[in-house]
Amino acid sequence: MSKKIDAISIEVMKNAFHTIAEEMGVALIKTALSTNIKDRMDCSTAIYTKEGKLVAQAEHIPLHLGLMPSVVEEVLKIFPPENLKDGDAILINDPYISGSHLPDIFMVSPVFFKDKLVAITGNIAHHIDVGGMSPGSCSVETTEIFQEGLRIPAVRIRKQGEMDEEILRLLTRNSRTGKEMLGDIYAQLAANKIGETRLQELFAKYSIEYVENCMEELMDYSERRMRKAIEKVKDGIYYFEDYLEGDGISRELIKIAVQVSVKGDNIDIHFEGTSPQVNGPVNSTIGVTSACAYYVIKALLDSEIPPNDGAYRPVNVHAKEGTVVNAKFPAAVSNANGNTSQRITDAILGALAPIIPESAMAACSGSMNGINFGGFNSETNDYFSYIETCGGGQGAVKGLDGMNGVHTNMTNTRNTPTEVIEQLYPILVKKYSLNEGSGGSGKYRGGNGIIREFESLMDNLVVTITSERQKTSPWGLFGGNNGKSSECIHITSKSEIFHLPPKVTMNVHKGSIVIMKTPGGGGYMDPFKRDEYLVLSDVKNGYINLQQAQDEYGVIINQLSMQIDKVKTAELRK
């Protein structure tokens, strides 16, 4: 039981812990070698108690937000605290322990002060290749974890300050991009070192007992706030279902069914009726599924709660083993992060929307819209891998339109600048724009998706696309219309046009063009209730066209004057 700490001290220490986690993130991003971390910022950082309880996390990626509370506790089962030494660093990426997919490598480091274990620092970084069937380690054709790349169960990469060069060689030799992997591992070490130094300064300024008490009280505070927020939600059981569009092997729909049970200050989330695990790599681990649940509950009920172990204590996830939301070893899992996580999130949001309409959001694009290019570049005589997750349309909420072309829900990375892509890889970016008119119409309009158009400058370029929402478009809320579906196109060097499935791994040749059009977000409330001058503004900004203004909003705009025809509009809107 922690000693009671006053509210002002807790606020000061909360910000101290959060600042340390943020500084760790800056160190990781600034020292990383791969574009995926230094440009796209596909990483997260956090600090923990010596027992492995999450204390504070930087505001990076929501998917990692829910994964990181459990991974350190699992590592401590393999390396008990009494066996840890000052200067140790542990790597792990096994999805059946850490919860994520193989490219996400966690690094865990103990923090000692006056020869005592006092805390733990941790980070997660998406490495651009860890082996497997195709560059990027996210082929849609895998059917078991062994095909997806090198699985690290939890190994000490550094022992009492000494790097294990043998493990480093093992890791880098099993990656197509070993140089980048090595650089990113050292960046992860640097991030944890920053956290260690800042925590030691904090313990020196106060005392071990005081800082540990503050950690415990902060977690208890988050738990109290979360329970208070849950109490405001009407008791009951709320149901929703949504679908994944195939697993990469088959295009059959895969059901995600969710029942959210609210009782007092607890929430139980069940997944009865969800499809069994599938052959392709969209199977989710229980870690990813839990992360989605934590994200939705926090976002809907109290987004300002400090993200730590206490915030998630009142949220209980129940998923039968062997289903697509709690896969059984050795199921393939690489694309669950980018797609299944988003559909789990959609399902939970959909279940709670009717009872929390003031916080509810229409469906977002529903996928991280992943695209990966890789292969052997004969000009540089080396392998390369470039990965991108493209933004889409955000769902509208009460009082606000959805944002255009952004990462939503479980993802929060940046894009790789076009100049960086073209400088480093044999790829030409021919187009990068908003997908006009893809946002669902409503009193509050859904955001538009994105169009990315790439041209291959080499033969035998391996392309992997992992997307969603070609058939089941993002749903609108309370009379708002669905967002427009996604589209993936391959135009060969001979000008042949192929419409691709949402998930594909393929080889293309020099002069081939790959186009990804991401979905828009759903609209909120009846489109005919939208202010007509906002519709005019949407047309002028290129978010919708004149025909959409008339058909979906009942607003007739004169193309020449770009003014509203009020007489015809009034008649149309009757």
Side-chain angles (χ1 to χ4, degrees):
M1 196 72 161
S2 64
K3 183 180 178 181
K4 192 71 175 176
I5 311 291
D6 66 89
I8 294 175
S9 297
I10 283 297
E11 184 68 18
V12 170
M13 295 302 287
K14 180 197 79 173
N15 286 296
F17 297 141
H18 180 76
T19 300
I20 292 171
E22 288 286 350
E23 188 177 357
M24 289 171 62
V26 171
L28 177 50
I29 292 162
K30 293 292 186 183
T31 58
L33 189 56
S34 71
T35 59
N36 195 49
I37 299 173
K38 70 181 180 183
D39 290 310
R40 293 191 61 248
M41 301 184 183
D42 194 348
C43 59
S44 290
T45 52
I47 61 174
Y48 303 79
T49 67
K50 61 187 177 186
E51 296 82 19
K53 301 292 186 183
L54 179 67
V55 174
Q57 184 169 11
E59 293 182 2
H60 289 153
I61 299 176
L63 181 67
H64 298 167
L65 182 84
L67 288 171
M68 295 188 82
S70 60
V71 65
V72 175
E73 291 181 281
E74 293 299 318
V75 167
L76 291 180
K77 293 177 184 177
I78 302 169
F79 293 95
E82 61 268 21
N83 293 342
L84 294 174
K85 305 295 182 183
D86 191 10
D88 285 355
I90 300 163
L91 286 186
I92 182 170
N93 77 338
D94 186 341
Y96 291 95
I97 302 174
S98 65
S100 194
H101 58 179
L102 293 179
D104 281 344
I105 298 180
F106 293 80
M107 181 176 285
V108 177
S109 304
V111 177
F112 285 81
F113 180 71
K114 294 183 178 179
D115 298 324
K116 291 182 179 180
L117 178 65
V118 291
I120 290 172
T121 59
N123 65 67
I124 175 175
H126 183 121
H127 289 251
I128 53 176
D129 189 274
V130 291
M133 290 177 65
S134 67
S137 310
C138 287
S139 169
V140 305
E141 298 172 352
T142 58
T143 57
E144 58 180 5
I145 190 68
F146 303 107
Q147 298 170 326
E148 296 187 333
L150 184 66
R151 194 157 51 102
I152 309 166
V155 296
R156 272 190 274 215
I157 190 71
R158 192 175 64 185
K159 302 170 183 176
Q160 294 181 257
E162 293 292 326
M163 292 297 292
D164 191 320
E165 298 296 334
E166 294 177 0
I167 293 179
L168 274 179
R169 285 202 302 274
L170 175 66
L171 295 175
T172 55
R173 290 293 175 86
N174 280 277
S175 169
R176 294 175 180 83
T177 54
K179 180 181 177 182
E180 286 85 352
M181 172 179 271
L182 183 63
D184 290 347
I185 285 174
Y186 275 107
Q188 290 182 267
L189 283 166
N192 280 5
K193 181 61 179 177
I194 284 288
E196 176 188 0
T197 300
R198 296 293 179 257
L199 282 168
Q200 287 171 339
E201 291 171 352
L202 206 60
F203 281 103
K205 183 175 182 179
Y206 299 100
S207 69
I208 293 177
E209 181 185 15
Y210 180 80
V211 176
E212 287 182 342
N213 283 339
C214 286
M215 289 178 171
E216 292 296 330
E217 181 57 33
L218 179 59
M219 291 185 288
D220 291 345
Y221 166 72
S222 290
E223 180 182 3
R224 291 193 300 271
R225 276 189 61 170
M226 180 59 81
R227 292 193 183 279
K228 203 71 176 175
I230 294 172
E231 285 179 342
K232 296 177 182 178
V233 181
K234 183 180 178 181
D235 284 3
I237 299 175
Y238 309 99
Y239 180 85
F240 196 85
E241 62 184 46
D242 211 329
Y243 294 85
L244 288 167
E245 297 176 347
D247 62 356
I249 307 296
S250 164
R251 295 196 68 178
E252 291 184 12
L253 294 179
I254 303 164
K255 182 193 287 188
I256 307 290
V258 65
Q259 304 90 40
V260 180
S261 175
V262 182
K263 187 175 182 180
D265 62 359
N266 281 283
I267 286 183
D268 287 86
I269 300 177
H270 297 263
F271 290 89
E272 293 177 16
T274 292
S275 294
Q277 67 185 55
V278 293
N279 289 326
V282 298
N283 300 292
S284 173
T285 65
I286 191 63
V288 167
T289 300
S290 298
C292 299
Y294 299 152
Y295 161 77
V296 173
I297 300 305
K298 183 177 182 297
L300 280 181
L301 302 189
D302 188 347
S303 61
E304 298 300 316
I305 294 176
N308 57 45
D309 179 80
Y312 311 125
R313 292 171 188 165
V315 182
N316 308 293
V317 178
H318 311 271
K320 183 180 178 181
E321 190 178 30
T323 60
V324 75
V325 294
N326 185 9
K328 188 187 298 183
F329 177 85
V333 300
S334 62
N335 292 315
N337 283 31
N339 291 300
T340 313
S341 70
Q342 298 284 53
R343 196 60 68 256
I344 294 168
T345 301
D346 286 342
I348 301 173
L349 284 167
L352 291 172
I355 58 164
I356 318 176
E358 67 280 359
S359 302
M361 177 173 62
C364 299
S365 61
S367 171
M368 295 187 190
N369 305 300
I371 188 163
N372 180 270
F373 298 97
F376 185 80
N377 188 342
S378 58
E379 290 188 6
T380 61
N381 197 36
D382 206 358
Y383 285 95
F384 71 95
S385 179
Y386 153 68
I387 188 168
E388 181 84 272
T389 51
C390 301
Q394 182 190 35
V397 298
K398 185 177 181 180
L400 287 173
D401 294 339
M403 289 188 287
N404 300 306
V406 293
H407 288 273
T408 56
N409 289 332
M410 302 311 293
T411 176
N412 188 35
T413 54
R414 290 189 177 183
N415 67 329
T416 303
T418 296
E419 296 81 2
V420 173
I421 297 171
E422 295 180 342
Q423 181 182 18
L424 296 178
Y425 309 112
I427 301 165
L428 178 67
V429 180
K430 295 182 68 68
K431 186 175 184 179
Y432 187 15
S433 68
L434 290 180
N435 188 4
E436 180 189 288
S438 57
S441 54
K443 180 177 180 179
Y444 306 106
R445 176 183 51 77
N448 283 321
I450 282 175
I451 300 176
R452 298 283 307 245
E453 186 173 324
F454 304 90
E455 180 180 346
S456 174
L457 303 181
M458 62 172 274
D459 287 327
N460 294 313
L461 179 70
V462 182
V463 181
T464 294
I465 294 173
T466 55
S467 64
E468 276 286 330
R469 294 299 197 192
Q470 283 190 7
K471 294 180 180 178
T472 58
S473 54
W475 36 265
L477 273 181
F478 311 124
N481 288 327
N482 292 354
K484 302 302 185 292
S485 300
S486 66
E487 188 176 12
C488 302
I489 301 168
H490 173 210
I491 304 174
T492 70
S493 56
K494 298 179 181 179
S495 299
E496 300 167 300
I497 300 175
F498 294 95
H499 290 269
L500 302 172
K503 302 171 187 69
V504 64
T505 296
M506 61 184 184
N507 279 47
V508 304
H509 298 291
K510 187 174 182 178
S512 292
I513 293 171
V514 176
I515 303 171
M516 175 180 272
K517 298 181 180 181
T518 68
Y524 189 104
M525 295 181 64
D526 183 357
F528 274 42
K529 294 182 179 179
R530 185 169 179 81
D531 185 283
E532 58 192 27
Y533 288 98
L534 290 177
V535 177
L536 176 63
S537 177
D538 290 341
V539 171
K540 289 181 177 180
N541 288 325
Y543 299 153
I544 63 173
N545 57 41
L546 290 168
Q547 196 63 48
Q548 281 180 298
Q550 179 173 324
D551 294 346
E552 298 179 24
Y553 292 95
V555 177
I556 296 176
I557 298 171
N558 186 297
Q559 188 170 5
L560 295 177
S561 65
M562 288 300 284
Q563 297 296 318
I564 296 169
D565 188 325
K566 292 187 177 181
V567 176
K568 293 181 179 178
T569 293
E571 188 66 28
L572 191 60
R573 281 189 152 187
K574 279 186 179 179

